[in-house]
Amino acid sequence: MSELIESIKNRFGDKIVSVQEDFRPRSVKVRVGDLVEVMTALKNEEPFRFNQILDIAGVDFLNHKPRFLVAYILLSTVTNKRLIVETDVDEFEAVPSLTGVWCGADWFERELYDMFGIKVKGHPNLKRILMSEDFEGHPLRKDFPVRGTTAPEQRYAPWDKRRTREY
Amino acid sequence: MFTFEKRKKDTMILNLGPSHNATHGTLRIVLELDGERIVDASLEIGYLHRGIEKMAEQRTYNGFIPLTDRMNYVSPIMNNIAYTLAVEKMLGIEVPKRGQYVRVIMNELTRIADHLVAIGTNVVDIGALTNYFYFFKERERIYDLIEKVVGARLTTTFTRVGGLARDVSGDFASSVRYLLTEIPKSIKDVDKLLTKNRIFMDRTVNVGAISQERALEYGFTGPVLRAAGLAWDLRKKQPYSGYENFDFDIPTGENGDTYDRYLVRMEEMRQSLRIIQQAIDHLPDGPVSVEDPHITLPPKEEVYNTMEGLIHHFMLIMYGIKAKPGYVYFGTEVANGELGFYIVSDGEQYPYRLKVRPPCFAIFQAFPEMVRGLLIADAVAILGSLNIVAGELDR
Amino acid sequence: MGIEEKLGDSIFTTKLDALVNWSRKNSLWPLPFGTACCAIEFMATVGTRFDLARFGAEAMRFSPRQSDMLIVAGTISNKMAPVLKKIYDQMAEPKWVVSMGSCATSGGIFDSYPTLQGIDTIIPVDVYVTGCPPRPEALIDAIMQLQEIIKQESVRRPRKAMSIK
C-alpha cells in the first residue's frame, strides 16, 4: 500500500469505502454524503494538499445499481501527486457541489449535469453548458444513440421558431 | 438565456461572438458595460460541440486517433501523442527509444507551431498584423516538415498505440536542422518588434492579471499558470516519453498578466528549440514501435508472405487492441496546459468511456474574473492571450 | 460603335455585365465563418505563402453587411446553425457561399448528435471544397471556380435564389 493511500486511510477511516491501487493514478471511493468533507480535507490538510481539481468525469453503468460513477481527478502541485476520488450515484440522486472547495469545479459540474443528467446540489448556476437549453436528453448516457434521438433533418430548429432571446 | 441578476439599470449589454474575429472559433461572451468599463461578463460555449467523447465509445483504440487531431486543431500531433501515451499507460507498454525521440521532436515542433499561432493571432487582435505574417512563414516551414513525415498538413494521425505510423525518412534530421536555423530568426524579429514596444506594453502590461492562488483554484495549467509565477511543467515534474533526458528550463512570469503570457510563450519556443536540438543530436537507431503483434501491425512483407503475419494484421484491424478492465488517467503537457485522457475499459476493443480533460476548459471559466473592471479592448487582448481553442473546449 | 475611332485609346467599350462581373469577381470580400480546423487552413491561405490577396480576396470583413463571399470553414453544430443562417440572411446581395471542408459540406466524420449534416440544409452553397481540412490550394481553386461562376452572371437577371425549406 502506498504512502498516500495509507495516510488517507488513517485520516478518514471508514469514510473510505474502497481503494484501488492497480491502476494509475490510485483511486479511493467515498460515499456521496461524505464527499464535501473528504474533499475539503484533501485540499487543505498537510500531507495531501490537492490544490487542483483537474477534471470531473462521469461514467454510466447502464442497468447497474447505482447507475453512475463520478470520478474527481485531483492533482497536487505541492507534493506532485495525483489521486482520483470516486463516488457512486444513482439516477435520481444528486452529488454535492464542490464549487465551495475549488471554484474551478464550476464548469466541470455543469458539464456533468449536461452530459449525464446528474444533478449537482448547491451549484450556483446549474444549466446546460455544451448543448443548447432546448436539447432533450443527456448525450453521454449509454441509452442515448450516437446519432441523436431526432432525425438529422429535424435536428435543426429554424431560427424563427426558436423562442426569442432576452436581449 | 443570459441573466445578470444584480444588473444595474444603466448598464449596456454587448455581445461578442459567436462569430467574431477575436474569438478564433466559436465562443459567445456577453459583456455588461458601464460606459467603456466591463462590469461583468457571461460566457456561453458549446457551439463546436461535436460529440467526440460519445463517438470514442464506438471506435477502437487506434480508430480514435483521427478524432484527436480535430480537438486542438492548432497542434494536432500533441493530441495524438497525449492520447496514445494514455492508452500505452493503460496497456503497460513503453515505446522504443527512437519512437520516443521522434515523438519528442514532433511534439516540440508542434508546440512551437501552436505558440506561433497563439501569439500571432493575439497581436493581430491588438493591432499588430506584421507579426502574424512573420510567424506564419515559420509555421508553413513546420507544416512542410510535418507533411514530409506524416503526409498531411494539419490532420496528422501521426501516432499509433505502441509507436508511430511509420518511421521517419532519411533526410528527417537535416530538415529539422534547417528549421532550427530558420525559426529563431523569426522569433528574433518578432521579439524586436514587440517585446519592448511601447504600444504593445501599454495594451498588455497589468491587463488580465490573475494571482497564483486563484489560478490554481481554477485548475489552470500550462503557460497561463506559469505566467502567474508557478514553475509547473509536467515535462519536468512528471516526465513522460523520455523528457527526463533533456535539459531545458521552465520560464515563469511574475504578474500573470497578458504580457507575461506572451513572454512565457516566447521563451517556451526557445526552450523547445533547445530540446529539439538535443533530441536530433542523440536520435537513436532502432524500431519506432513496440514489436508486439497484439498491439502494432506487423511489417508489410510479413503480412504478404507469412500466415501469422496475415492473421495478426487481420485480427488487429478487425478486432483492435483489447485492454484489461480498469481505468487510467494520464496527463501530458500540451501547448495550452495539461491535456488528460481518462479512459475506462471494460475489456472490449472499444473504450467504455473516454473523457478528455481539455486545458482550455478550466482556463476559460476564469475569464469573467479577469476582465472585470477593464476596458472592452482589453477583453479582446486577454482572450487572445489565453489561446482558447474551441475544438478542445467543446469537444 | 465607332466611338473608339474618334477618341482613340482613351476609352474602350464593353458590356455592362462584363464590367460589373469583372469588378465583382476581382474584389471578393470574404467573411470567414471559421469554426474549426478548416479555419486554421484558411489562416494559412491568407498567410504569407499562399497569399489570397493575389485573387483580390484579402479584405477580411467579419461584418456580414460588408462582405459578399461567405466562407464556411469548419463543423457547424446544431447550436451554431441558427447563427450561420442569421449571418447569411444579413449579407447583402450579391452574395456567394463557399463550403470549405467535409464538415461544412456533409458533416464529415462527425456523424453524431450535435452536428449539422451539411450547411446546404440551411443555406444555398455555390462551391464545395472537399478535404479534411482542404489544402490552401484547394481553397484557392474554389475561389477561382467561384470567379468563373460570377463571370457568367447578369445584372439584369436576378440571381437564381435557391429556395431552402
Side-chain angles (χ1 to χ4, degrees):
Chain A
M1 196 181 284
S2 78
E3 216 174 291
L4 174 69
I5 298 289
E6 205 159 333
S7 55
I8 287 176
K9 271 196 154 174
N10 289 340
R11 166 67 181 79
F12 298 109
D14 59 349
K15 286 203 178 75
I16 304 296
V17 181
S18 64
V19 294
Q20 180 65 263
E21 293 206 82
D22 297 343
F23 312 115
R24 292 292 176 277
R26 296 173 176 88
S27 67
V28 296
K29 190 171 271 187
V30 298
R31 286 178 211 93
V32 179
D34 300 332
L35 194 68
V36 175
E37 191 196 328
V38 172
M39 289 300 211
T40 312
L42 281 177
K43 185 193 173 195
N44 297 321
E45 287 180 12
E46 198 33 69
F48 314 120
R49 295 294 299 278
F50 286 100
N51 52 2
Q52 274 201 315
I53 185 155
L54 286 179
D55 203 349
I56 300 176
V59 186
D60 179 11
F61 296 104
L62 189 63
N63 301 329
H64 277 63
K65 262 220 166 306
R67 180 168 173 181
F68 299 108
L69 178 130
V70 183
Y72 298 84
I73 297 157
L74 310 181
L75 169 74
S76 165
T77 58
V78 183
T79 61
N80 196 7
K81 287 216 169 73
R82 290 176 188 276
L83 180 74
I84 294 184
V85 179
E86 293 175 345
T87 183
D88 286 328
V89 56
D90 206 17
E91 197 169 349
F92 299 106
E93 281 180 332
V95 289
S97 172
L98 295 180
T99 44
V101 189
W102 296 274
C103 59
D106 184 344
W107 276 19
F108 292 110
E109 283 173 349
R110 278 177 70 185
E111 194 193 348
L112 185 75
Y113 166 68
D114 189 359
M115 292 289 135
F116 289 94
I118 302 171
K119 288 256 166 42
V120 184
K121 207 162 46 190
H123 191 282
N125 183 22
L126 193 64
K127 289 191 297 193
R128 283 184 180 273
I129 185 165
L130 294 177
M131 307 307 298
S132 54
E133 275 178 44
D134 47 5
F135 186 79
E136 282 171 21
H138 298 285
L140 283 179
R141 288 188 174 193
K142 286 282 174 187
D143 51 4
F144 190 91
V146 69
R147 290 195 175 82
T149 47
T150 47
E153 57 273 16
Q154 292 166 355
R155 278 185 217 165
Y156 162 67
W159 173 259
D160 47 5
K161 284 185 190 164
R162 292 207 151 191
R163 61 193 160 69
T164 49
R165 298 195 174 231
E166 281 158 48
Y167 299 112
Chain B
M1 190 166 283
F2 285 107
T3 45
F4 295 106
E5 276 131 31
K6 286 169 278 180
R7 189 184 159 198
K8 283 189 280 174
K9 271 251 170 65
D10 51 350
T11 52
M12 187 187 120
I13 298 298
L14 181 75
N15 194 20
L16 264 180
S19 172
H20 185 272
N21 51 352
T23 58
H24 303 301
T26 48
L27 322 160
R28 184 164 178 225
I29 303 165
V30 182
L31 297 170
E32 186 188 356
L33 301 172
D34 179 12
E36 216 179 325
R37 293 263 159 213
I38 297 167
V39 181
D40 205 351
S42 174
L43 309 173
E44 187 173 353
I45 63 168
Y47 288 101
L48 195 55
H49 180 59
R50 300 185 276 196
I52 285 179
E53 287 173 9
K54 184 82 180 173
M55 289 167 80
E57 292 169 10
Q58 306 193 345
R59 287 172 174 247
T60 56
Y61 286 102
N62 270 325
F64 181 65
I65 298 174
L67 288 175
T68 60
D69 293 336
R70 289 152 182 88
M71 262 169 5
N72 184 345
Y73 37 74
V74 186
S75 51
I77 290 182
M78 302 183 98
N79 296 293
N80 300 158
I81 293 170
Y83 168 70
T84 38
L85 280 168
V87 179
E88 281 156 14
K89 177 103 177 166
M90 186 159 75
L91 296 170
I93 52 174
E94 194 169 347
V95 178
K97 202 115 198 218
R98 184 178 170 85
Q100 287 187 352
Y101 271 57
V102 174
R103 277 184 184 185
V104 165
I105 293 169
M106 299 306 278
N107 205 17
E108 294 306 314
L109 277 175
T110 327
R111 188 186 310 276
I112 294 171
D114 189 294
H115 287 343
L116 290 174
V117 171
I119 295 174
T121 50
N122 186 11
V123 295
V124 165
D125 295 340
I126 297 176
L129 191 63
T130 325
N131 310 287
Y132 169 78
F133 291 121
Y134 283 11
F135 272 174
F136 245 84
K137 192 176 70 194
E138 296 314 317
R139 203 175 145 91
E140 286 292 339
R141 289 199 175 117
I142 296 175
Y143 272 151
D144 282 347
L145 180 79
I146 292 174
E147 205 176 336
K148 205 183 271 180
V149 175
V150 180
R153 280 163 61 88
L154 199 63
T155 42
T156 48
T157 320
F158 172 58
T159 54
R160 297 287 182 276
V161 175
L164 306 178
R166 64 185 76 80
D167 201 352
V168 292
S169 57
D171 61 344
F172 177 70
S174 61
S175 315
V176 173
R177 288 217 171 83
Y178 171 70
L179 282 181
L180 287 176
T181 58
E182 290 299 319
I183 294 171
K185 290 180 193 163
S186 280
I187 296 177
K188 211 171 183 180
D189 281 345
V190 172
D191 199 30
K192 275 186 207 153
L193 276 172
L194 282 179
T195 307
K196 293 288 171 214
N197 186 320
R198 171 86 189 274
I199 304 169
F200 181 69
M201 288 182 79
D202 281 352
R203 287 293 304 274
T204 52
V205 174
N206 282 331
V207 169
I210 189 158
S211 69
Q212 202 187 106
E213 290 73 38
R214 289 300 285 168
L216 283 170
E217 185 112 322
Y218 269 117
F220 278 28
T221 43
V224 187
L225 177 63
R226 288 193 281 275
L230 184 69
W232 179 260
D233 190 324
L234 289 176
R235 290 176 293 170
K236 266 268 199 272
K237 303 284 178 186
Q238 297 173 5
Y240 55 91
S241 191
Y243 269 110
E244 63 275 11
N245 303 329
F246 305 113
D247 179 33
F248 63 99
D249 302 325
I250 310 173
T252 52
E254 282 164 15
N255 306 320
D257 56 8
T258 308
Y259 185 67
D260 279 355
R261 282 172 217 141
Y262 158 77
L263 288 182
V264 166
R265 286 210 169 90
M266 288 295 268
E267 187 54 35
E268 267 185 30
M269 286 199 276
R270 297 194 193 98
Q271 297 300 332
S272 292
L273 289 170
R274 264 179 77 191
I275 298 174
I276 296 168
Q277 183 74 56
Q278 294 167 40
I280 202 74
D281 286 345
H282 300 107
L283 186 65
D285 289 329
V288 289
S289 305
V290 291
E291 281 161 3
D292 183 347
H294 296 290
I295 290 166
T296 48
L297 289 174
K300 274 278 177 270
E301 304 83 58
E302 215 171 286
V303 178
Y304 292 143
N305 296 319
T306 64
M307 196 65 205
E308 294 79 26
L310 187 65
I311 290 171
H312 286 319
H313 187 275
F314 177 80
M315 293 297 278
L316 204 55
I317 295 288
M318 296 308 288
Y319 298 108
I321 301 161
K322 286 189 182 171
K324 57 180 191 299
Y327 71 86
V328 73
Y329 175 85
F330 193 72
T332 52
E333 185 78 27
V334 301
N336 275 340
E338 175 172 343
L339 175 69
F341 286 89
Y342 175 74
I343 306 172
V344 179
S345 159
D346 61 346
E348 292 296 316
Q349 68 262 48
Y350 310 118
Y352 187 75
R353 165 90 169 103
L354 191 146
K355 173 82 171 73
V356 186
R357 193 269 167 190
C360 298
F361 198 76
I363 293 172
F364 192 43
Q365 61 180 331
F367 185 74
E369 188 174 311
M370 289 183 189
V371 296
R372 235 165 254 152
L374 299 174
L375 304 175
I376 308 173
D378 296 335
V380 175
I382 296 167
L383 186 64
S385 74
L386 298 179
N387 190 22
I388 306 296
V389 181
E392 68 175 4
L393 181 74
D394 298 341
R395 306 180 296 287
Chain C
M1 261 186 279
I3 194 163
E4 290 100 332
E5 288 165 20
K6 287 187 180 143
L7 293 169
D9 287 342
S10 60
I11 60 156
F12 65 91
T13 52
T14 180
K15 287 187 287 183
L16 179 64
D17 277 351
L19 175 71
V20 170
N21 288 341
W22 170 79
S23 51
R24 276 180 181 171
K25 90 178 170 63
N26 288 314
S27 74
L28 285 166
W29 285 21
L31 191 163
F33 195 81
T35 55
C37 338
C38 292
I40 305 294
E41 283 299 70
F42 180 77
M43 275 157 65
T45 318
V46 183
T48 11
R49 183 176 295 179
F50 295 98
D51 196 9
L52 204 54
R54 293 178 292 159
F55 303 91
E58 84 280 21
M60 298 297 142
R61 286 296 179 273
F62 287 87
S63 155
R65 308 277 184 201
Q66 298 172 344
S67 50
D68 47 18
M69 175 170 65
L70 178 65
I71 296 178
V72 183
T75 321
I76 302 296
S77 64
N78 289 324
K79 197 173 177 178
M80 198 64 171
V83 181
L84 176 63
K85 175 87 172 148
K86 182 116 183 161
I87 280 180
Y88 177 77
D89 290 343
Q90 281 177 342
M91 287 169 71
E93 287 282 351
K95 55 188 173 187
W96 298 275
V97 179
V98 176
S99 160
M100 181 182 179
S102 308
C103 289
T105 305
S106 69
I109 62 170
F110 295 102
D111 187 6
S112 56
Y113 58 94
T115 39
L116 189 73
Q117 301 297 307
I119 58 163
D120 49 7
T121 53
I122 53 168
I123 58 172
V125 177
D126 292 279
V127 183
Y128 297 92
V129 195
T130 56
C132 188
R135 297 178 63 88
E137 293 96 328
L139 181 63
I140 289 173
D141 181 48
I143 288 171
M144 286 164 73
Q145 286 190 22
L146 186 64
Q147 289 179 333
E148 290 298 313
I149 291 173
I150 295 169
K151 227 158 63 175
Q152 288 155 14
E153 286 177 356
S154 169
V155 282
R156 288 181 303 157
R157 212 167 46 236
R159 292 188 70 235
K160 195 170 60 186
M162 287 161 75
S163 61
I164 300 284
K165 279 173 193 166

